[in-house]
Amino acid sequence: MPAEIAWLVPIIASFIIGLLVGAIVKKAFNLMVLLIALIIVLVATGALSLSFHDLFDKAMEILPKLYEAGSGWLNVLPYSSVAFLLGLAIGLWKG
């Protein structure tokens, strides 16, 4: 690859990674909103019985595992790159 365009590869890669992460985050957020809405409807109709204590216990069981899984990925993403942040913003907006 010529040296004149070799500097573009990391910028383009960071931008594409940002686009993909933004689209994934947006889809995951939309899925969580729909799941929460479903749970609210099920609780309101009496089909599902939840108490605050049940939710707290389940959250304390799941959240540490999610944090451990996510902290490893944070070091992989080029989150300090302007190209990544621009791709992330476009991915969140259009994704």
Side-chain angles (χ1 to χ4, degrees):
M1 179 175 297
E4 294 84 28
I5 62 169
W7 62 273
L8 281 174
V9 174
I11 294 172
I12 293 171
S14 294
F15 180 75
I16 292 172
I17 292 170
L19 279 174
L20 294 173
V21 169
I24 290 169
V25 167
K26 185 174 182 177
K27 297 290 181 182
F29 180 75
N30 288 339
L31 181 62
M32 286 181 11
V33 168
L34 291 173
L35 185 61
I36 290 169
L38 175 64
I39 290 171
I40 289 171
V41 169
L42 289 174
V43 169
T45 59
L48 185 62
S49 172
L50 288 177
S51 69
F52 180 76
H53 185 69
D54 294 336
L55 290 175
F56 183 78
D57 288 343
K58 200 57 139 170
M60 288 297 111
E61 177 183 323
I62 294 174
L63 288 178
K65 294 176 188 175
L66 285 175
Y67 178 76
E68 288 176 16
S71 64
W73 284 98
L74 187 62
N75 297 329
V76 174
L77 297 176
Y79 55 87
S80 62
S81 168
V82 173
F84 174 80
L85 295 175
L86 182 63
L88 180 69
I90 294 173
L92 286 171
W93 179 45
K94 291 285 188 177

